[in-house]
Amino acid sequence: MPLRNPWFETVAEAQRRAKRRLPYMVYGALLAGSERGRTVKDNMDAFGDLGFAPRVVGHRAERDLSTTVMGVQTSMPVLISPTGVQAVHPDGEVAVARAAANRGVIMGLSSFASKPVEEVVAANPDTFFQMYWSGDRDAMLQRMERARKAGVKGLIVTLDWSFSHGRDWGSPTIPDKIDFKTMVKMAPGVLPRPGWLWRFVKTGRIPDLTVPNMRPPGGPAPTFFGAYGEWMQTPPPTWDDVKWLREEWGGPFMLKGVTRVDDAKRAVDIGVTALSVSNHGGNNLDTTPATIRLLPSIAEAVGDQVEVLLDGGVRRGGDVAKALALGARAVLIGRAYLWGLAVNGQAGVENVLDIMRSGLDSAVLGLGHSSVHELSPDDLYVPPGFRVTLGGGAVADAQAD
Ligand SMILES: Cc1cc2nc3c(=O)[nH]c(=O)nc-3n(C[C@H](O)[C@H](O)[C@H](O)COP(=O)(O)O)c2cc1C
């Protein structure tokens, strides 16, 4: 059902519309969070606690927002964070990749995504592929080589997940696969959301909830929960394992999920190209501090050796400016683009990227700069006690492998 005016002016408005449009189980899966929801909230609120220090005269007429991440050019320091966007929109990650390509930004593709890496790279050649430590080494190599062959320009390895599932506000029931029986069961949640359903009906498809990038050679794509089960049963990696993966890949390599200074230093030791200060969007161990609080000490410790990115809580361009001022090279966004995708497909993701760009441009203008590279802590009011340093001491032997 077409919306009369699908354009939205803020990410908050996109989220409100997504809530009205999506069946509750899909909306709830994107809302996510864990336990009390303290981290997911702090990720967003902490950006609001930081103040700007704008200049009154000396604004620059020309402003350059572009940069590079792991050697790849991007029109602004905002990347698409990898998410498994099962069932949000029939075009899924391909729509997101097209939007990112149209706006000149890098696409992060999850190995738990609903679309194959080959289709996503065809839509946006500037794609980084994300992997978890899941399955045996041969399976991981096979997935990695498939992504390399597809032409991805970098690998993101996410290692912070610890299978924390409970939410005080309840988790939606997500079926393993969608067949006639589950459709009947889901009908009360889906039928009041005809706009969402209609999109799938138009394409003649129903969300199949499989993860094609986890497909073994010659076998079918596993279901989301099938792949999740394999991951849960995989012994967690040591630093030596991560080093092995890094060496096997050889190219640009980002470690996602760092919150501690000692971990950031270990990541440098194993030769990562970049790291993302991340708590998985507050979906993991609840009460982990907001990533923007953790960023300054990590950027100070390793920012001259590797590229430091941040994800978690970014909802506007001003948030991007704040993260850059505190030492990030770029940020990744998750829910912000998912709300856009839910509301208006590819155009909705473009709408979100435009919101990010214009908000960042306003901040750079008001702060009197001509480039995002000029942003610094001097541009901000940082309230007392805002910064948090985790793992700031020497790496104890006990913590080594
Ligand atoms: C629904 C959902 C699915 C996600 N799936 C993945 C994933 O498959 N791989 C990954 O590295 N991170 C995943 N994430 C985490 C995001 O990449 C990112 O770290 C997080 O969303 C950033 O926080 P934000 O949503 O506040 O921007 C997911 C997040 C959400 C909300």
Side-chain angles (χ1 to χ4, degrees):
M1 231 169 282
L3 289 168
R4 217 166 291 145
N5 179 7
W7 182 82
F8 44 85
E9 68 175 320
T10 61
V11 170
E13 172 58 16
Q15 179 172 353
R16 274 192 292 275
R17 293 191 196 173
K19 188 174 183 185
R20 289 200 297 267
R21 190 173 183 91
L22 293 172
Y24 177 69
M25 56 273 208
V26 182
Y27 179 76
L30 305 192
L31 194 64
S34 61
E35 303 270 318
R36 290 181 181 81
R38 184 69 70 88
T39 299
V40 75
K41 186 166 182 303
D42 194 31
N43 273 351
M44 290 184 286
D45 291 351
F47 277 110
D49 292 344
L50 288 170
F52 279 124
R55 290 186 164 75
V56 65
V57 174
H59 294 167
R60 313 295 291 268
E62 309 249 311
R63 296 171 298 280
D64 181 11
L65 305 185
S66 69
T67 188
T68 59
V69 174
M70 300 209 295
V72 179
Q73 188 72 34
T74 173
S75 68
M76 64 173 164
V78 176
L79 283 72
I80 298 293
S81 208
T83 62
V85 295
Q86 309 287 328
V88 178
H89 189 279
D91 295 335
E93 296 82 1
V94 172
V96 180
R98 281 195 199 118
N102 279 349
R103 294 301 186 263
V105 309
I106 298 166
M107 169 76 190
L109 175 69
S110 168
S111 49
F112 275 67
S114 65
K115 299 288 175 194
V117 60
E118 295 79 7
E119 277 181 40
V120 171
V121 175
N124 186 346
D126 293 338
T127 292
F128 296 157
F129 183 65
Q130 177 267 328
M131 284 175 58
Y132 291 112
W133 186 264
S134 175
D136 62 22
R137 286 188 173 205
D138 284 348
M140 284 186 255
L141 284 181
Q142 178 265 322
R143 284 171 207 144
M144 198 175 82
E145 290 310 324
R146 175 177 164 191
R148 194 198 305 275
K149 207 168 141 224
V152 306
K153 293 190 174 165
L155 193 69
I156 300 176
V157 175
T158 305
L159 294 180
D160 58 353
W161 192 248
S162 45
F163 307 100
S164 161
H165 295 131
R167 292 166 192 156
D168 289 356
W169 52 100
S171 297
T173 311
I174 303 171
D176 187 40
K177 60 175 190 256
I178 299 190
D179 50 19
F180 183 70
K181 219 168 101 197
T182 39
M183 284 206 302
V184 171
K185 227 163 104 190
M186 284 163 58
V190 169
L191 293 179
R193 298 288 185 271
W196 174 85
L197 188 62
W198 177 238
R199 274 199 192 129
F200 282 94
V201 171
K202 268 196 310 196
T203 62
R205 283 175 279 162
I206 50 167
D208 69 358
L209 305 186
T210 58
V211 284
N213 297 309
M214 300 292 277
R215 177 171 52 77
T223 61
F224 184 90
F225 286 110
Y228 196 80
E230 176 203 78
W231 178 24
M232 277 184 99
Q233 282 156 29
T234 305
T238 63
W239 279 108
D240 277 345
D241 290 326
V242 188
K243 188 162 179 252
W244 166 80
L245 196 61
R246 197 276 161 272
E247 284 167 2
E248 289 290 338
W249 173 251
F253 184 101
M254 184 190 302
L255 178 63
K256 178 168 173 282
V258 175
T259 60
R260 301 172 54 105
V261 170
D262 49 7
D263 276 351
K265 290 181 177 165
R266 295 299 296 269
V268 172
D269 291 343
I270 63 156
V272 305
T273 320
L275 59 85
S276 187
V277 178
S278 170
N279 51 37
H280 218 105
N283 299 330
N284 200 17
L285 285 187
D286 190 37
T287 69
T288 304
T291 49
I292 189 67
R293 299 184 190 282
L294 302 171
L295 171 70
S297 38
I298 293 177
E300 278 164 22
V302 300
D304 56 347
Q305 298 166 78
V306 294
E307 294 180 5
V308 175
L309 287 85
L310 167 143
D311 67 81
V314 176
R315 297 291 183 275
R316 48 192 94 238
D319 297 345
V320 183
K322 289 172 179 175
L324 266 62
L326 293 183
R329 185 171 184 88
V331 303
L332 301 106
I333 56 169
R335 292 179 186 81
Y337 79 82
L338 291 174
W339 303 136
L341 178 69
V343 169
N344 199 20
Q346 177 185 334
V349 179
E350 289 168 356
N351 194 155
V352 167
L353 292 172
D354 292 344
I355 290 169
M356 294 289 163
R357 187 185 308 279
S358 69
L360 175 60
D361 186 55
S362 293
V364 173
L365 171 68
L367 294 165
H369 297 310
S370 59
S371 154
V372 286
H373 297 285
E374 293 166 11
L375 292 161
S376 78
D378 181 54
D379 293 314
L380 299 183
Y381 164 69
V382 182
F386 182 84
R387 283 176 57 150
V388 178
T389 302
L390 303 179
V395 183
D397 285 346
Q399 285 177 298
D401 303 340

